[in-house]
Amino acid sequence: MFFSFSTIRPIFNWTAIIFTLIFGIHYWLNHKSYVFDEKSIAALSRKYVVGPDSNISTAYAKVLEGLRAKYTGHILPDQDLQWIFMNAGGWMGSMCLLHASLTEYVLFFGTAVDTTGHSGRYWANISDTILTGTFYQWQEGSLTRTVYKPGDTVFHGMGEATAVSWTAGTWMVEYGRGFIPSTLFFALADSFTSTTDFLTVFYIIKVYIKAMFLEVMFYIGDFRQLIKDSL
């Protein structure tokens, strides 16, 4: 069977567009400036590590206060903070989104029950600093697991996949940097294909849009102030 040039040309064109888009995003991610960094998030979180019988809500309130002081204008206001169930990779947890853009996010995450599953494979680096509980990570190609305790920071590199497990009562602070829509697809997949919990899908999309809008308004205000100062 012979294929004419007119038949394969659309395939070639779309392939070229996709590769150009991937290269463009990768270049942008490597050369743009970022608001947050994983070391600062981890250092702040470690100040509020708590025991298994302590009130995690109090610890989270202190972390939130510290984040708002350090990253003024980038953290969602109290009225937009919401704990939302999340099913992904076979596990179930709960998250509270604090910040999100196309290239970064910060959130509180954890579970009140034992849960295990697949980490997902993202176009992003993700780090989790544990405040309380125990987290297990089984890396691809390894025959052993790594155990993380309160105060430890778990790193999940771009393109990696692991098995993950949380004991009941594990709560952490998570920071992601990369092409964040790639993580959103994973976060929503089980809600579409398994749980059919479309209300959760609505909650996640709504808070992500609010966080994106907050970032846009921050930079518009910053630009206005720059113009005002230059006049």
Side-chain angles (χ1 to χ4, degrees), residues 61-210:
K62 292 178 180 178
V63 174
L64 180 60
E65 182 181 358
L67 288 171
R68 284 193 171 134
K70 187 175 179 63
Y71 305 102
T72 305
H74 293 283
I75 304 297
L76 284 167
D78 286 345
Q79 63 267 25
D80 291 328
L81 299 182
Q82 178 183 4
W83 282 97
I84 305 171
F85 274 145
M86 182 176 168
N87 290 86
W91 48 260
M92 183 173 184
S94 185
M95 73 164 188
C96 180
L97 187 68
L98 310 180
H99 166 89
S101 66
L102 287 176
T103 57
E104 293 179 282
Y105 72 78
V106 181
L107 54 81
F108 296 151
F109 178 82
T111 175
V113 298
D114 296 331
T115 188
T116 302
H118 191 288
S119 66
R121 200 184 294 270
Y122 317 111
W123 194 352
N125 294 318
I126 297 173
S127 60
D128 291 276
T129 301
I130 301 172
L131 300 186
T132 186
T134 305
F135 176 81
Y136 301 99
Q137 184 185 63
W138 175 24
Q139 294 187 333
E140 186 175 25
S142 173
L143 301 183
T144 59
R145 69 182 183 181
T146 304
V147 182
Y148 294 92
K149 295 291 186 176
D152 293 338
T153 297
V154 185
F155 183 77
H156 183 95
M158 187 180 297
E160 294 180 355
T162 68
V164 290
S165 181
W166 297 261
T167 59
T170 299
W171 301 97
M172 52 185 63
V173 180
E174 181 168 300
Y175 170 61
R177 175 189 289 188
F179 188 54
I180 301 310
S182 72
T183 68
L184 192 60
F185 295 149
F186 174 75
L188 297 177
D190 278 12
S191 294
F192 280 107
T193 62
S194 178
T195 66
T196 63
D197 183 2
F198 300 120
L199 184 58
T200 290
V201 172
F202 170 73
Y203 287 151
I204 293 175
I205 292 176
K206 182 179 72 170
V207 72
Y208 184 70
I209 290 173
K210 284 183 176 181

